[in-house]
Amino acid sequence: MAMRQTFEDSADPSFGRLHTPLIREAMADQALDGFLVPHEDEHQNEYLPAANDRLAWATGFTGSAGAAVILRDKAAVFVDGRYTIQVRDQVDQAVFEIRDLVDGGVPAYLREALRPGWTVGYDPRLHSPDALAALGDAAAKAGAALKPVDANPLDAAWGGARPAQPKSPITSHPLQYAGEDSSSKRARLGAGLAAQQAEAAVLTAPASLAWLFNIRGGDVIRSPLPLGQAILNADGTARLFLDPDKVTPDLPARLGNEVTLEAPAALDSALADLKGRTVLVDPAQSSAWYFETLAVAGAKVIRGPDPTALPRACKNPTEIEGARRAHARDGAALSQFLHWLATEGQTSLPDELEAVTRLEAFREATGALRDLSFDTIAGATANGAICHYHPTRRLNRRTEPGSLLLIDSGGQYLDGTTDVTRTVAMGEPSAEMAERFTLVLKGNLALARVRFPVGTTGPALDALARLPLWSAGLDYDHGTGHGVGSYLGVHEGPHRIAKVQNSVALRPGMIVSNEPGFYKEGAYGIRIENLQFVTEATPIPGGERPMLGFETLTLAPIDRRLIVKAMLTDEERCQLDAYHARVLEVIGPKVPAAVRSWLAEACAPL
Amino acid sequence: MAMRQTFEDSADPSFGRLHTPLIREAMADQALDGFLVPHEDEHQNEYLPAANDRLAWATGFTGSAGAAVILRDKAAVFVDGRYTIQVRDQVDQAVFEIRDLVDGGVPAYLREALRPGWTVGYDPRLHSPDALAALGDAAAKAGAALKPVDANPLDAAWGGARPAQPKSPITSHPLQYAGEDSSSKRARLGAGLAAQQAEAAVLTAPASLAWLFNIRGGDVIRSPLPLGQAILNADGTARLFLDPDKVTPDLPARLGNEVTLEAPAALDSALADLKGRTVLVDPAQSSAWYFETLAVAGAKVIRGPDPTALPRACKNPTEIEGARRAHARDGAALSQFLHWLATEGQTSLPDELEAVTRLEAFREATGALRDLSFDTIAGATANGAICHYHPTRRLNRRTEPGSLLLIDSGGQYLDGTTDVTRTVAMGEPSAEMAERFTLVLKGNLALARVRFPVGTTGPALDALARLPLWSAGLDYDHGTGHGVGSYLGVHEGPHRIAKVQNSVALRPGMIVSNEPGFYKEGAYGIRIENLQFVTEATPIPGGERPMLGFETLTLAPIDRRLIVKAMLTDEERCQLDAYHARVLEVIGPKVPAAVRSWLAEACAPL
């Protein structure tokens, strides 16, 4: 079977040099002095169909977040802390200035770079209304103005070279995995709309459609997302807009008669039908175009969170059971890979591509793999320090004795989505590597065992995973935990464990990653990532309040050659031993005998 | 010398019964169906002059935060978690429904209680514009409307019984305490305004005036605040509006010729003078009235944080040195009190009033006390569980053997403001008391020793103080740390360590309290509070990033009879021993010999 991942560069520094002149020509045709290029597409997706990866085509940068501004006389690309190394490799700095997406971001650049009287275009289908407001303010401060375009000049420049829009079939997601049928979901969300005095909600996030209608698609690589839109009414009925070419024959019957299946071309008139009605739209999910179109139609728009976001994040018992099965299956595949790496790999010293290929093969051999949940990050030696690195033929490095290999990977299975990172010593690790690995491990263990009251948000727990590193004068420049879907996106809100503010309380059933790390630029990277879910509130003996907690889903050994036992407290050691005992108990019976005996050693008490 | 504190009830449950009919009459005169009564006054003060404590007069509730809504047919009072016990004692529930200020708050009540067509009045000088917007939305959802009043109907109802506005003299705050002269402060803040493209800022928070002009007043009890307003221009000049009756003769000369001193009546025309200019106003500090008045005047208003807030919070070296002196002085007074409590008090078993009186006398005896920084909270036995309790003759309790006494107190000195809580065992404490005290102590120690990177906000650290309690199924329902002024308010922003969101990074020089607690309703309360300030970023050996940290200012022994030594780690024990050694070193020489020998025992290593 062919590999799912490729090692070819999908973009490179020549893109900016080749494509910005074309974009500037198309800008000139519309009398624009500049154009805003967000990473997001029409569906505000994180992972994009190739046809919508405008930022990569314009700049060469392929990260999962970012932006660019192309002005008549200069241009800039904006990335966050995860991508500061990658961007320098992918983007031609003779064409683009590289700037921080968070610190100052695009608004600061607009204030500095725009000249009075300039007009900067934007595609209203690609920007959230709140982001646009901040950009518009910044442009105004420079005496310039933003202007929505009807036809995207970048798309015009891209022309015939642009890939076609995806047409993957959309299938129903069976109740045995979803755990609640669509009509029940629609009824309770509809009641929630009514309670907010809304008559309908416009849903534009593909993950929202997938969850609400129990459907899955394949339009977006690595996530089984169906691109489309829907209008959910307060009575639980809905209009669902999907490309008819993508609808599988049995789908309409499964959707039932409360859901009208319509072609995307019908969306405009459906929005016009909302005239005079009170409609909920999420400014974080739906672009400015929806707000403008509904305003023009005479609808009364209420801004509020996508009503599917919270119920989707709180997995039901069927989904949690599915996640347990998926993680056992995925953990067995990963453990076979780790066994190979710990035995043959220690002498053959594979390169990154071989590691990625082997790991994909073990996952494929489960027979249940629907897709990877993202392109595997395998960072040998210095590549491990590039947080969201994906190896290519050009960047590929061989593992070396005395080095670390960081592997962050995951699979999409019908019963669940996995995401796991292990860092493995090749040969004898240095004392520094082991000390820092142990600090990262201590943070991971702290965030796994914490009990916390109802109402606690992710940012309140973020420091627990960093504290051992902070005490040593170290830190990492990424979040600690992201939500994960159930056979859906591997990055899913609305909860998050990170330094940045997030007001969503952690609730039972939410799956979240626990992934502290440490990165030494030019040398090595360390990350330990498990998925865990929020458990029901239970009382602690002698306590007064029921406390939430976490149960770890991910099952794979943590490299004991990297653990400095003396740095662990008794509590931490017991916790790790108990985790390893569980790994052996669940994974042991699922792997061949040779792997099982290795696993028994890898999981023995410290 | 007379006591500074009184033990008389300033409000009681009869207030609501007596005063709501008068307010409803005045509402009817203006054809209002309801009226909103916030705790805040015209200066958005936390502590209010008696003339402005409208909430207490209307309801009986004297807490430092809250609100009431008085409708034609019913009424509600809103308090947060700190005041759930106190409010039941102070407010007549036959007149007022008691509701949560945070969960749902006033908006949820308006949505439920208002009837279509109703008009609810509000005084625009008392409400922040953002709070009003949320209230207006809520009223609209019920089909009702809010309406600003020119004359406050509550004030009309209060009439001649209302105390006079305060007229305390305003004096200059010498450079030896302030550390930076006003013209330097105005120059750098003015430059900051220019950088934001603002031509002026309107300042309405008394603490902002106090800091910016190096002046102090006495209009508000417990804080040396001057009530007034100012307009700061980008060139560093300013117009300062103060009641001429309050201005001391030397003040104009000290303010210099860059500051125009004007009467409050000139404010309206000064705001009108801002026509066409870009003016910064803080919606969290200045009421809706300023925004409306400036809009009518034709000024261009930029909403943004009060420009004095951050520089005021980051104490300069002179202010930090002053804080050290103030805390040594205050700690010596508190230690004499704790000695009395640990010796004579153990047999005489004083009541709360005696404890408060003694402690005030020790502070008074320093000769440097300008005021208390708040009314002393002395909670014996079950009163200790009322978080912001102040003893009165009616509520007063005697200490008992086997009980706890919680004392939260502080002093205002020219060189600094103190705020400290100690919990003391009377007789032999129960095992449960000691265990829970030790959990609280562990949290306090964790938050005192943490090192954290630049950019870290208070909420990221909040859980550190709670974690030992959480592990035992316990928690406390108040914030962990508030900012403290330099001879200014004892609660000062913009930073805060709490569960609630706060995006202000902790910066060197910020003073913040560290006050975890545990409260057992009907039984006892525990709180340990020290003030600490953020230290300059310094590297940790072997680390990569300069890390901020804290230095503890408060110096007073922690009751070792309440510490379960076996529950402390070696690190925690060493930390506490080092703290106690410092207390003995600094305070020992400042107290009489008998106290010193007791202190040596109280501060001996565990």
Side-chain angles (χ1 to χ4, degrees):
Chain A
M1 182 164 185
M3 281 276 288
R4 293 176 187 264
Q5 301 171 81
T6 80
F7 300 122
E8 308 312 321
D9 282 304
S10 59
D12 72 48
S14 71
F15 278 25
R17 210 159 47 243
L18 295 170
H19 301 156
T20 50
L22 306 177
I23 297 169
R24 288 196 170 106
E25 271 178 48
M27 279 160 46
D29 289 346
Q30 294 194 41
L32 298 173
D33 304 296
F35 190 66
L36 305 178
V37 183
H39 173 269
E40 291 73 24
D41 72 352
E42 290 82 341
H43 302 274
Q44 305 282 303
N45 280 326
E46 179 180 6
Y47 296 102
L48 307 173
N52 293 355
D53 200 353
R54 296 176 176 94
L55 184 64
W57 185 77
T59 68
F61 175 66
T62 60
S64 64
V69 176
I70 299 171
L71 302 179
R72 52 192 310 157
D73 56 347
K74 55 184 171 178
V77 63
F78 302 80
V79 304
D80 63 35
R82 295 174 297 174
Y83 292 113
T84 47
I85 299 178
Q86 177 177 329
V87 70
R88 295 202 295 269
D89 194 63
Q90 293 189 317
V91 169
D92 184 344
Q93 295 189 53
V95 181
F96 288 96
E97 181 186 352
I98 294 172
R99 297 177 61 118
D100 195 290
L101 184 64
V102 179
D103 182 19
V106 179
Y109 181 75
L110 295 182
R111 280 198 302 272
E112 286 167 42
L114 299 189
R115 313 237 181 108
W118 276 14
T119 300
V120 176
Y122 68 90
D123 183 339
R125 293 174 181 264
L126 309 185
H127 295 265
S128 86
D130 294 343
L132 265 187
L135 297 170
D137 284 352
K141 283 197 171 154
L146 297 190
K147 183 185 168 191
V149 298
D150 281 331
N152 187 316
L154 187 151
D155 294 353
W158 204 345
R162 185 179 177 195
Q165 286 293 329
K167 296 259 188 192
S168 295
I170 293 173
T171 57
S172 80
H173 186 57
L175 192 59
Q176 71 186 100
Y177 303 118
E180 181 181 8
D181 66 25
S182 172
S183 107
S184 163
K185 291 178 179 178
R186 283 182 279 104
R188 68 184 170 106
L189 265 60
L193 290 179
Q196 291 180 71
Q197 264 108 38
E199 295 165 86
V202 173
L203 304 175
T204 68
S208 302
L209 308 191
W211 178 84
L212 183 61
F213 297 102
N214 287 342
I215 57 177
R216 294 295 185 270
D219 289 339
V220 181
I221 194 165
R222 308 297 173 235
S223 298
L225 292 174
L227 301 188
Q229 295 84 15
I231 297 170
L232 172 67
N233 297 309
D235 64 3
T237 64
R239 303 176 70 171
L240 175 57
F241 304 89
L242 297 174
D243 183 342
D245 292 355
K246 299 194 291 192
V247 174
T248 47
D250 67 329
L251 190 61
R254 287 191 181 261
L255 287 171
N257 53 19
E258 292 170 342
V259 179
T260 321
L261 202 53
E262 300 177 56
L267 177 65
D268 287 46
S269 79
L271 295 176
D273 291 348
L274 294 171
K275 177 179 179 173
R277 304 187 71 192
T278 304
V279 183
L280 179 71
V281 191
D282 184 347
Q285 296 287 355
S286 302
S287 69
W289 181 85
Y290 290 94
F291 289 84
E292 287 160 20
T293 303
L294 286 166
V296 168
K300 187 184 164 200
V301 175
I302 303 178
R303 291 165 163 244
D306 180 328
T308 70
L310 201 53
R312 183 172 77 233
C314 298
K315 273 64 179 173
N316 61 43
T318 304
E319 291 170 314
I320 291 292
E321 264 320 298
R324 284 205 181 93
R325 279 197 310 276
H327 279 84
R329 184 186 309 121
D330 194 70
L334 179 60
S335 293
Q336 290 177 72
F337 168 77
L338 292 173
H339 163 255
W340 170 77
L341 205 57
T343 52
E344 226 182 292
Q346 291 289 320
T347 47
S348 71
L349 294 171
D351 63 14
E352 294 163 354
L353 305 196
E354 187 179 359
V356 170
T357 306
R358 289 263 177 178
L359 177 53
E360 186 177 314
F362 283 118
R363 281 206 169 89
E364 201 69 75
T366 64
L369 188 72
R370 307 288 296 190
D371 196 352
L372 299 169
S373 45
F374 54 97
D375 285 348
T376 297
I377 296 165
T381 67
N383 281 346
I386 307 175
C387 277
H388 283 68
Y389 171 77
H390 173 65
T392 62
R393 292 193 200 291
R394 192 168 56 83
L395 302 174
N396 184 31
R397 280 179 185 256
R398 179 162 289 282
T399 57
E400 294 167 13
S403 76
L404 299 182
L405 176 62
L406 182 158
I407 312 110
D408 186 352
S409 67
Q412 290 283 8
Y413 306 94
L414 283 172
D415 43 11
T417 302
T418 71
D419 182 4
V420 49
T421 309
R422 287 294 179 268
T423 304
V424 175
M426 304 303 291
E428 189 65 35
S430 72
E432 183 193 273
M433 289 172 182
E435 277 162 25
R436 291 179 178 190
F437 183 91
T438 309
L439 294 173
V440 172
L441 175 62
K442 287 167 79 81
N444 174 279
L445 293 172
L447 185 57
R449 74 172 175 270
V450 64
R451 300 293 300 271
F452 53 91
V454 170
T456 302
T457 62
L461 302 182
D462 178 70
L464 302 185
R466 299 180 191 270
L467 210 53
L469 288 161
W470 285 357
S471 300
L474 308 170
D475 199 8
Y476 51 92
D477 292 323
H478 58 72
T480 300
H482 55 82
V484 176
S486 184
Y487 187 43
L488 268 179
V490 74
H491 291 160
E492 177 184 276
H495 58 299
R496 191 177 173 200
I497 300 177
K499 289 181 179 182
V500 294
Q501 295 195 35
N502 178 304
S503 61
V504 178
L506 295 168
R507 288 171 173 81
M510 284 182 167
I511 296 178
V512 65
S513 70
N514 170 357
E515 49 178 312
F518 171 76
Y519 309 93
K520 184 160 180 165
E521 193 175 336
Y524 60 86
I526 294 166
R527 186 160 64 249
I528 302 172
E529 177 187 22
N530 287 338
L531 299 192
Q532 51 193 34
F533 70 92
V534 180
T535 52
E536 292 289 339
T538 52
I540 291 174
E544 294 174 353
R545 305 187 186 200
M547 292 293 204
L548 301 170
F550 292 112
E551 180 181 318
T552 298
L553 287 164
T554 302
L555 295 170
I558 289 168
D559 192 345
R560 51 197 298 133
R561 294 169 306 158
L562 284 166
I563 301 173
V564 183
K565 193 174 155 184
M567 288 170 62
L568 298 185
T569 64
D570 289 349
E571 184 181 27
E572 289 166 343
R573 202 162 30 74
C574 289
Q575 187 188 351
L576 182 68
D577 286 347
Y579 173 71
H580 271 150
R582 192 154 72 88
V583 171
L584 181 62
E585 186 193 341
V586 178
I587 304 297
K590 292 180 176 291
V591 291
V595 178
R596 194 179 315 130
S597 67
W598 167 81
L599 193 65
E601 277 174 52
C603 293
L606 274 190
Chain B
M1 183 166 184
M3 281 277 288
R4 293 175 187 266
Q5 302 172 79
T6 79
F7 301 121
E8 308 312 320
D9 282 304
S10 59
D12 71 48
S14 71
F15 278 25
R17 209 162 46 243
L18 295 170
H19 301 157
T20 50
L22 306 177
I23 298 170
R24 286 196 170 106
E25 271 177 47
M27 280 161 45
D29 289 345
Q30 295 195 41
L32 299 173
D33 303 296
F35 189 66
L36 306 180
V37 184
H39 173 269
E40 291 73 23
D41 72 352
E42 290 82 343
H43 302 274
Q44 305 283 302
N45 281 327
E46 179 181 7
Y47 296 101
L48 307 174
N52 294 353
D53 200 353
R54 297 177 176 92
L55 184 63
W57 184 77
T59 68
F61 174 66
T62 60
S64 64
V69 176
I70 299 171
L71 302 179
R72 52 192 309 155
D73 56 347
K74 55 185 169 176
V77 63
F78 302 80
V79 303
D80 63 34
R82 296 173 296 174
Y83 291 112
T84 48
I85 299 178
Q86 177 177 330
V87 70
R88 295 202 297 269
D89 193 61
Q90 292 189 319
V91 169
D92 184 345
Q93 295 189 55
V95 181
F96 288 97
E97 181 185 353
I98 293 172
R99 297 178 60 119
D100 194 290
L101 184 65
V102 179
D103 182 19
V106 179
Y109 181 75
L110 295 182
R111 280 197 302 273
E112 286 169 40
L114 299 189
R115 313 236 183 110
W118 275 14
T119 300
V120 177
Y122 67 90
D123 183 339
R125 293 174 180 265
L126 308 185
H127 295 266
S128 86
D130 294 344
L132 265 186
L135 298 171
D137 284 353
K141 282 197 172 154
L146 297 190
K147 184 185 168 191
V149 298
D150 282 330
N152 187 318
L154 187 151
D155 294 352
W158 204 344
R162 185 179 176 194
Q165 286 293 329
K167 297 259 187 191
S168 294
I170 293 173
T171 57
S172 79
H173 187 56
L175 191 60
Q176 70 186 99
Y177 303 119
E180 180 181 8
D181 66 25
S182 172
S183 109
S184 162
K185 290 178 179 178
R186 283 182 279 103
R188 68 184 171 106
L189 265 60
L193 290 179
Q196 291 179 71
Q197 265 109 39
E199 295 165 87
V202 174
L203 304 176
T204 66
S208 302
L209 308 191
W211 178 84
L212 182 61
F213 297 101
N214 287 342
I215 56 177
R216 296 295 186 270
D219 289 340
V220 181
I221 195 165
R222 308 297 172 234
S223 299
L225 292 175
L227 301 188
Q229 296 84 16
I231 298 170
L232 172 67
N233 298 308
D235 65 3
T237 64
R239 303 176 71 170
L240 174 58
F241 303 89
L242 297 175
D243 184 339
D245 292 355
K246 299 193 293 193
V247 174
T248 46
D250 67 328
L251 190 61
R254 287 191 180 262
L255 287 170
N257 54 19
E258 293 171 342
V259 178
T260 321
L261 202 53
E262 300 177 56
L267 177 66
D268 287 46
S269 79
L271 295 176
D273 292 347
L274 294 171
K275 176 178 180 175
R277 305 187 71 193
T278 305
V279 182
L280 179 71
V281 192
D282 184 346
Q285 296 288 355
S286 301
S287 69
W289 180 85
Y290 291 94
F291 289 84
E292 287 161 18
T293 303
L294 286 166
V296 169
K300 188 184 163 201
V301 174
I302 304 178
R303 291 166 162 243
D306 181 326
T308 70
L310 201 53
R312 184 172 77 233
C314 299
K315 272 64 179 173
N316 61 42
T318 303
E319 291 171 314
I320 291 292
E321 264 321 297
R324 284 205 181 94
R325 279 197 310 276
H327 279 84
R329 184 186 308 122
D330 194 71
L334 179 60
S335 293
Q336 290 177 74
F337 169 77
L338 292 173
H339 163 255
W340 170 77
L341 206 57
T343 52
E344 224 181 294
Q346 291 289 320
T347 48
S348 71
L349 296 170
D351 63 15
E352 294 163 354
L353 305 195
E354 186 178 359
V356 169
T357 306
R358 289 262 177 178
L359 177 53
E360 187 178 314
F362 283 118
R363 280 206 169 89
E364 201 69 73
T366 64
L369 188 72
R370 308 288 297 189
D371 196 353
L372 300 168
S373 45
F374 55 97
D375 284 348
T376 297
I377 296 164
T381 67
N383 281 346
I386 307 175
C387 276
H388 284 68
Y389 171 76
H390 173 64
T392 61
R393 294 194 198 289
R394 191 168 56 86
L395 302 173
N396 183 31
R397 279 179 185 258
R398 179 162 289 281
T399 57
E400 293 168 13
S403 76
L404 300 181
L405 175 63
L406 182 158
I407 312 109
D408 186 351
S409 67
Q412 290 284 8
Y413 306 94
L414 282 173
D415 44 11
T417 302
T418 71
D419 182 3
V420 49
T421 309
R422 289 294 180 268
T423 304
V424 175
M426 303 304 291
E428 189 65 35
S430 72
E432 183 194 273
M433 289 172 183
E435 277 163 24
R436 292 180 177 187
F437 183 90
T438 309
L439 294 173
V440 171
L441 175 62
K442 287 166 80 80
N444 175 279
L445 293 172
L447 185 58
R449 73 174 175 270
V450 63
R451 300 294 300 271
F452 54 92
V454 170
T456 302
T457 62
L461 302 182
D462 177 70
L464 302 185
R466 299 180 191 272
L467 210 54
L469 288 161
W470 285 359
S471 300
L474 308 170
D475 198 8
Y476 51 92
D477 292 323
H478 58 73
T480 301
H482 55 82
V484 177
S486 183
Y487 188 43
L488 268 179
V490 74
H491 291 159
E492 177 184 276
H495 57 299
R496 191 178 173 199
I497 300 177
K499 290 181 178 182
V500 294
Q501 295 194 35
N502 178 304
S503 62
V504 178
L506 295 168
R507 289 171 173 82
M510 283 181 167
I511 297 177
V512 65
S513 69
N514 171 356
E515 49 177 312
F518 171 76
Y519 309 93
K520 184 158 180 166
E521 192 175 336
Y524 60 86
I526 294 166
R527 185 159 65 248
I528 302 173
E529 176 186 24
N530 287 338
L531 299 192
Q532 51 193 35
F533 70 93
V534 180
T535 52
E536 292 290 337
T538 52
I540 292 173
E544 294 175 352
R545 304 186 187 200
M547 291 293 200
L548 301 171
F550 292 111
E551 179 181 319
T552 298
L553 287 164
T554 301
L555 294 170
I558 289 169
D559 191 346
R560 50 199 299 133
R561 294 170 306 158
L562 284 166
I563 301 173
V564 183
K565 193 174 155 184
M567 288 171 61
L568 298 184
T569 63
D570 289 350
E571 185 181 26
E572 288 165 344
R573 202 161 30 74
C574 289
Q575 187 188 349
L576 183 68
D577 286 347
Y579 173 71
H580 271 151
R582 192 153 72 86
V583 171
L584 181 62
E585 185 192 341
V586 178
I587 303 296
K590 293 181 176 290
V591 291
V595 178
R596 193 180 315 129
S597 68
W598 167 81
L599 193 65
E601 276 175 52
C603 292
L606 274 190

